[in-house]
Amino acid sequence: MSGDPIPDSDEVAKYLSPSKYNGAKLNWYALTPRESDNGENSCFWMDYFAGSSAEEQLTQIRATCGLDRRPNGRFAELNVDRVRKAILEGVGLSTTFTHEPIGTNVSHSVMRGISHDNEAAGFILNRCVIAFHSATEAAWPARY
Amino acid sequence: MQITGSYKLTDKAFGGFAGERKNLGITEPNLAVGALSENYDSFIQGVLSSHLHLVFVQPTAENEAAWNAFSTNSLRVSVIRLATDVRWREYDLNVMASSGAQYGLSSAEARLDELRRCAQDEGIPMNAKSLADIRLFIGNRGFPEELNIFLLDNGNFHVIWDLGPEEEYGIEFLGNRTIKQTTIRVEPGSRRVKVSSETTNFDSVVRPFSNVAVAR
């Protein structure tokens, strides 16, 4: 149901354009919301597609997200619990993840609690990335 | 070789070398920089553009050991050049060859082109003055490693360096030779993250880039 919190054990994926990363290095604002988002940081609930592998979940997200993705764009995979704890410990902010589907974009979710210009929070988010996935093609997860 | 001006080696940068020297057992009096001063705050006459120029005043066995270590490790110090003793100029050439993989403006152009395309595709209003400044910044210096260059949503260019596993340093090019320099680090003994930043003049950048800092 729209507005339901995403379980701490679950993962979300956040789209990254090539301007946000260079190799494995992310800009401090890569995973924070844009200024125009007013603090509502769009992401995709991977485990909405239950029973699938991460790559199968990403295939579903690519098919339904509706984003204009660049060929060399990426999704960054984040664990909800890891992010919430790290942000709280690092900068004292509480974050929430809620499932807010938009039409056929069924896994669309929103991370709240981090402003667009919070570079410390962005620094922490970058360190929470579990894996990168191609934005357009299946099966090149770069886990590290 | 062309004379391009003078460089200033900062205390901070010299601190980067101090660790190296300590590991090598080099004692301070054997190593001097440029015109020599107690706090290493003197200007060094530039010899090679974008290369750091150190001078070993007394060519001793210890200095030579340091020289060899730096050259094989060509990493952090882009080039060390000996100028006081003709004999050592042979080493100069060797080191230049071994440290030839400098990241300069020509290396950065492909990334800048990619970011320009991103700006067009994503409707980011690229700041032309920021682009001019980052090109000037990179062109005036040489870096031992690829730079992490980004384009921010506000149209400014941004570069980030790792200063260690828990610390990063970034420069946002605001245009008109103005920058915002920021350091973010995890405080030792905790998971708290501390940020310090200041807006300053382009010419005053003195933070270490891979342990080496030069300011024109």
Side-chain angles (χ1 to χ4, degrees), chain B residues 55-67:
Chain B
V55 177
F56 288 79
V57 169
Q58 298 171 12
T60 65
E62 282 185 331
N63 283 347
E64 189 159 9
W67 177 258

Side-chain angles (χ1 to χ4, degrees), chain B residues 3 17 19 22 53 71 84 104 140 160 169 173 185 196:
Chain B
I3 296 176
F17 286 112
K22 190 174 178 183
H53 175 194
S71 62
T84 57
N140 281 348
I160 294 178
Y169 167 75
F173 294 86
R185 66 184 176 91
S196 58

Side-chain angles (χ1 to χ4, degrees), chain B residues 80-93:
Chain B
I80 300 177
R81 185 166 187 277
L82 299 170
T84 57
D85 190 317
V86 174
R87 289 174 300 159
W88 289 48
R89 289 188 179 170
E90 296 172 23
Y91 291 101
D92 177 29
L93 296 175

Side-chain angles (χ1 to χ4, degrees), chain B residues 1-6 45-49 216:
Chain B
M1 307 222 179
Q2 58 183 42
I3 296 176
T4 58
S6 61
Q45 287 304 305
V47 175
L48 297 168
S49 65
R216 288 205 62 172

Side-chain angles (χ1 to χ4, degrees), chain A residues 17-23 25-29 33-35 68 70 72 86 88-92 119-121 123-124 126-127, chain B residues 111 114-115 117-118 121-122 146-153 158 160 162 165-166 168-170 180 182 184 186 191-193 195:
Chain A
S17 92
S19 62
K20 310 281 190 186
Y21 68 84
N22 185 43
K25 191 71 181 172
L26 298 182
N27 186 266
W28 295 329
Y29 312 98
R34 293 191 168 196
E35 184 174 8
D68 183 16
R70 289 178 60 85
N72 52 349
L88 186 61
E89 290 172 343
V91 290
E119 53 217 352
F123 170 84
I124 296 167
N126 293 350
R127 297 157 71 91
Chain B
R111 175 63 174 166
E114 179 179 41
L115 294 174
R117 288 195 298 273
C118 287
D121 291 351
E122 298 172 35
E146 180 182 354
L147 296 181
N148 292 304
I149 306 171
F150 306 102
L151 179 65
L152 303 181
D153 290 343
H158 196 211
I160 294 178
D162 284 320
E166 307 280 0
E168 294 180 1
Y169 167 75
K180 178 185 174 188
T182 303
I184 303 181
V186 180
R191 293 188 179 180
R192 295 288 299 178
V193 173
V195 178

